[in-house]
Each structure stands twice: as C-alpha cells, then as structure tokens.
C-alpha cells in the first residue's frame, strides 16, 4: 500500500536522488500516484497521477539538486480517486509544511468541517490534507515546527505513518500509529521509509518505530520520543539482505524470479530447524512456547490459504484448530481464553486486519504467535512469539515464495504443537527444495497457458491439504491475469459450481497421493470430463487421474504435505504464463498493494 520515503543529509547527497530511488523501490507496494517535496528555505512540491515514470518525466530534477532534505510518497487511493490534486505531499495554505501519510484518518471529516468553518480551503478530497492544515494553524499561533507537528498528530484518530518537512527547518518530523515506519542510519544522513527497500541502496542499519512514537531527523542526529516527548532508547538492527537481493537478476519479472527462488527460500526456512537423523523439529524462536489449544489462525489473502493449510495439519495431528479471515475475527464472539493460541500469518507483519485481530486476541488474554517474513515488523514485536519464514525480500505484489515458505513454516509449527510423530513429515520436508527445483526445471506450464489463455474462466479443485492450494491457484490467476477464476473443495462442484462448467472453462484438479481423498477427487474429475470441460491434472501419478485429463502437470511423488507445496508451484507458473501471454502488468497488478495497511 502507500509508500513513504524521506532523507535528511549532510550535504554530500542530493535529496532528490534518494527520493527518486526510494520511490522506484517502493513501486512494488501498489500505488496510483507519486510525489516529492524538497525543502531549502522554501518548499518545492511536485506530484503526478499515474506511474512513477509520469512524475519522473516531468520533474525539474536538475533544479532540485543541492537540497539535502525531502520526502516522497506513492499513494494507493482511499479517499478520493487518483489525481494530481489527491497525490501526496499535501501542504498548508501558506506552503510552510508538506506532509505525506499512510493509513486512514478516521475523524478526518470532523476535522475537515472544523477547518473549513475557520476559513481553510481544501484542494483535495483526501483525509491526509487535514494534517498540514492542522500544523499550519499551530504555526500561525506561534508554535515551533515540532510542537505544531505534535499538536496535529494528537488530533488524529485512526492508523497513520506521517512525515513532514518545513520550509523553515532542516529537519523531518515523523510519527507512527498502526502503520509501519522505519529509520535508516547512514554515514551521510538519515533515512525514513515505510519499508526498508526504499533506502537499502544506502544503508542496512535500521530502527523500527513503535506505535505512539515520534522521530526527529536532522543532518547530525536522529531522536525518537514517546507521545509525551520523552526520549526513548532505540536499537539499531542490521538487515540480512542487500540491494542486490531485491533486483530482477535477469528475469523479465520479479514474480518469475521469486518463483525460481523458492528452492533457496525453502532451504533457508528449514535450515537449523529439522534434524534428519532424529527426524525432529527444533524451533529456537518458540523454545519457551507451551503447546496449548485450541489454535486459531488469523490471516488475509494468500496468508489465509497458508493458514488453512496449517490448521488442516494440526487437526490431522489431533490438535483442534480453526482458521479465520482476519477482517471477520471478533474476539468477543469467538471463544478466546488464556489457553487459546492465536497465530497471525502475515508476510509483511503489517497487514492491518491481521494486526487488529492479533491485538484483540492479546486483549482477550490469548497467547499469540506471528508467522511472518519481516524481522522487526509490528506483528513480530507485538506478539508473544515470532516464527520467521526466512523467504527473503519479495517484490512482486502477488505472493509466491512467501506462500511456499509459509507452508513449510506452518508444517514445522504443527510438529512443534503436537505430540504426533514427525518422522514422515521431516523426511518429506528435507526433499521439498529439490522437488520444487525439479518442477521448475521440467514444468510444461507455459504450454498449457498458451493453450488455455482465451478461456472464459479457470476453476481449481482439491481436497484436504490440496483445497487451500486450489484456492491459492485461483487467487494467483485472478491477481495477475484479471481473468475470472475460482477455487473449490472438489466435492462441492456438484453442489452448485458445476453449473458454470463448460468447454471453455478448464478445471485444474490437484490430485496428490493414493488416499481416499485423492480417489474421490478423481471421481470429481470424471464428473467434469462428462460435461466436456478440459481437465488439467496436477498430480504425482499415484492415481489414474491422468486417464481422464486433457493435460498433466507432474510433481514428484511424496506425501500430501510436500505435494501441496510442489503442486502450488505448478499453478503459480500457469498463472504467470497466462498473464505473460496477455501482456499484463505482472509485478504490479491493477488496484492491488503488496502490504495492505488499512482495514
């Protein structure tokens, strides 16, 4: 979602170069307009609707050099459509302060009405614009920049990450509440961003702001304070990845690169956590976590499908587990107590709906675990425990390697929380990275994509561990191709969805293993075949499903858990190649954002 970047330097680096580089690095978050503001005795603000290139092509870059203080923004619309006027930064009426903001100001209408009654003219439809006008009021009353900024923030209700620059100051002021904000500590100055990739080219040393904290960045120092202005101690952490990790490495799209990075990501997730000799699982992060139940998973989107996979694993190992869409989770209506373990699955660790659900669980007295990719994220800090999936940076909006890593991490968690034998699971997991590599090396997904690219719709079916994979396969197809796609529990086809099946609707059937569920799915495939719909079987060959399929995507034979991971890779590749055939914006699909930080 919206992205913030800021820089205060000592004069050796031009702020505009840092801002443009940062905005380019934040494109993956999803956005519909961009803008910058630089300060040097006066504010110069430039902003444009559309992609970053629209701003870059009209920016008087050379005339902005020499300034070492500035802020930039990529906007994802919430209040008001994409337009030049609604793009950030926003200023007060006298152009004394410029503000960028992520999140939602829930009381903005009351503030706007109040300011309008006092004679303030608004130039945009955004909730953000109330902030610079509140600051402007305080400046007119004689307040210093920092005091004016704090007074304005005190008036806000909702979630926000806010940064402001002043014409009269060589400092950036920032504050955070339920929306991520991270400081970068460099040799030539200080950086500010909603996500570290915005400044990873310049420094890998970071400080994560907590809710309710303020930051003041000047050429010579940074100071973090609480809501009362008291200086708080901060910890400088070093990121374990660099700018090269976030490049395309010769691939046409980040998505294809990240699909191909999955063997490495899975090895990283497993490293030091499984003992092949004893077939045991050791999770150092959860060493002091006492197994308890029921287990409740809360998540959104792709992470919700991973959570469904995790809950299924726990249930088959004798642990009661449920999965909730985080946006629908209500601790007052769900049985939550001190014995409940609530697991929030969120690749960014900042997903607003998931964070709200976890906070409700904490207030209800439950123990909480964050399963996340992001060290230092809100989820990691606010939960009792954090289990990192170790996937490395993922730039494409559509999640691929983080889903596979979530599948593996949740498998390890299921082993940790149950008393059932881990031998078969550990042996299967050890082989998964190589099996994924085999799929990548041998997949015929591009051929199948070319054959079915003009289909009316795409259906995906599976049972048990393969049901979440079917849902995820459909989601990937929707996200990056913009074609209609649906995932179903295979047995549900005959209870309504079969009415949609036709010769123009290929059905992707995930059939893994030789158990009862697999054979029942084969029966569902026969029902589809009888209605002349093309069938693509994603299978390890342990059933005779290939006899009834028009095309086959093969995965190595293993067990249901490993098969769910490798089958998912085949479906990722199908979606990618369909989108590629259609010429879609694969890494930045329309209307979507990488990290959804508003409810």
């Amino acid at each position: 979602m919206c992205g913030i970047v800021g820089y205060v330097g000592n004069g050796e680096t031009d702020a505009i170069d840092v801002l443009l580089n940062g905005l380019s690095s934040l494109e993956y978050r999803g956005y519909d307009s961009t803008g910058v503001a630089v300060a040097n005795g006066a504010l110069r603000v430039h902003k444009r609707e559309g992609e970053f290139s629209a701003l870059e092509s009209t920016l008087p870059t050379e005339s902005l050099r020499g300034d070492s203080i500035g802020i930039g923004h990529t906007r994802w619309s919430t209040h008001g459509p994409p337009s030049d006027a609604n793009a950030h930064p926003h200023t007060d009426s006298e152009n004394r302060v410029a503000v960028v903001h992520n999140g939602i100001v829930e009381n903005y209408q009351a503030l706007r009405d109040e300011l309008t009654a006092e004679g303030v003219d608004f130039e945009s439809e955004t909730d953000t614009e109330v902030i610079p006008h509140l600051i402007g009021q305080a400046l007119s009353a004689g307040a210093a920049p920092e005091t004016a900024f704090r007074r304005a923030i005190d008036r806000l209700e909702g979630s926000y990450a806010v940064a402001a620059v002043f014409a009269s100051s060589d400092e950036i002021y920032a504050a955070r509440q339920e929306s991520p904000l991270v400081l970068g500590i460099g040799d030539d100055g200080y950086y500010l961003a909603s996500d570290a990739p915005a400044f990873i080219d310049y420094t890998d040393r970071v400080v994560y702001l907590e809710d309710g904290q303020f930051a003041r960045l000047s050429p010579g120092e940074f100071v973090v304070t609480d809501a009362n202005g008291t200086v708080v101690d901060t910890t400088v952490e070093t990121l374990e990845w660099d700018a090269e990790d976030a490049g395309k490495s010769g691939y046409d799209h980040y998505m294809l690169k990240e699909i191909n990075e999955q063997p490495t990501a899975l090895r990283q997730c497993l490293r030091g956590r499984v003992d092949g000799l004893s077939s045991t699982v050791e999770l150092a992060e959860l060493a002091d976590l006492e197994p308890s139940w029921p287990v409740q998973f809360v998540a959104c989107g792709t992470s919700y499908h991973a959570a469904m996979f995790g809950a299924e694993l726990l249930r088959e190992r004798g642990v009661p587990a449920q999965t909730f869409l985080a946006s629908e989770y209500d601790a007052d209506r769900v049985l939550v107590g001190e014995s409940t373990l609530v697991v929030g699955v969120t690749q960014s660790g900042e997903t607003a709906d998931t964070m709200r659900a976890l906070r409700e669980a904490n207030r209800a007295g439950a123990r909480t675990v964050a399963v996340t990719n992001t060290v230092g994220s809100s989820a990691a800090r606010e939960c009792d425990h954090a289990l990192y999936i170790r996937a490395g940076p993922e730039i494409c909006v559509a999640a691929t390697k983080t889903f596979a890593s979530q599948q593996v991490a949740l498998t390890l968690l299921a082993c940790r929380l149950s008393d059932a034998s881990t031998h078969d699971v550990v042996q299967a997991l050890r082989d998964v990275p190589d099996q994924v590599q085999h799929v990548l090396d041998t997949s015929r997904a591009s051929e199948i994509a070319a054959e079915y690219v003009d289909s009316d719709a795409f259906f995906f079916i599976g049972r048990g561990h393969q049901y979440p994979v079917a849902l995820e396969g459909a989601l990937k197809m929707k996200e990056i191709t913009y074609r209609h796609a649906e995932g179903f529990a295979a047995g549900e086809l005959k209870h309504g969805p079969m009415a949609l099946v036709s010769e123009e609707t290929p059905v992707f059937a995930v059939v893994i293993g030789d158990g009862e569920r697999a054979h029942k799915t084969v029966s569902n495939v026969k029902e589809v075949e009888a209605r002349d719909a093309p069938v693509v079987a994603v299978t390890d060959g342990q059933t005779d499903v290939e006899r009834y399929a028009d095309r086959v995507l093969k995965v190595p034979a293993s067990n249901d858990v490993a098969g769910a991971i490798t089958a998912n890779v085949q479906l990722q590749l199908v979606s990618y190649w369909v989108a590629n055939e259609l010429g879609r914006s694969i890494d930045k699909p329309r209307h979507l954002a990488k990290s959804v930080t508003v409810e």
Side-chain angles (χ1 to χ4, degrees), residues 4 102 160-163 174-176 179-183 192-195 207-210 350 381:
I4 288 173
N102 293 351
Y160 53 78
V162 180
R176 146 192 183 138
S179 190
L181 210 51
V182 58
L183 310 183
L192 177 75
S194 46
D195 204 357
V207 170
Y208 295 98
L209 292 187
E210 304 280 356
E350 304 291 349
R381 295 196 308 273

Side-chain angles (χ1 to χ4, degrees), residues 84-95:
D84 289 354
N86 288 334
H88 298 208
H90 292 288
T91 65
D92 72 318
S93 302
E94 298 181 32
N95 209 44

Side-chain angles (χ1 to χ4, degrees), residues 29 51 58 99 116 139 145 149 192 248 263 347 469 471 493 586:
R29 290 173 68 89
E51 295 191 354
T58 59
V99 168
T116 300
L139 292 174
F149 179 76
L192 177 75
K248 290 184 183 177
Q347 68 87 17
V469 172
L471 294 177
L493 272 181
I586 292 175

Side-chain angles (χ1 to χ4, degrees), residues 75 80 157 178 324 422 464 467 595:
R75 177 179 186 251
E157 297 176 6
E178 297 183 5
F324 295 87
T422 60
Y467 173 39
S595 178

Side-chain angles (χ1 to χ4, degrees), residues 178 350-357 359 596-599:
E178 297 183 5
E350 304 291 349
T351 309
D353 288 320
T354 305
M355 289 307 305
R356 181 201 57 79
R359 287 167 181 144
V596 184
T597 55
V598 295
E599 294 183 36

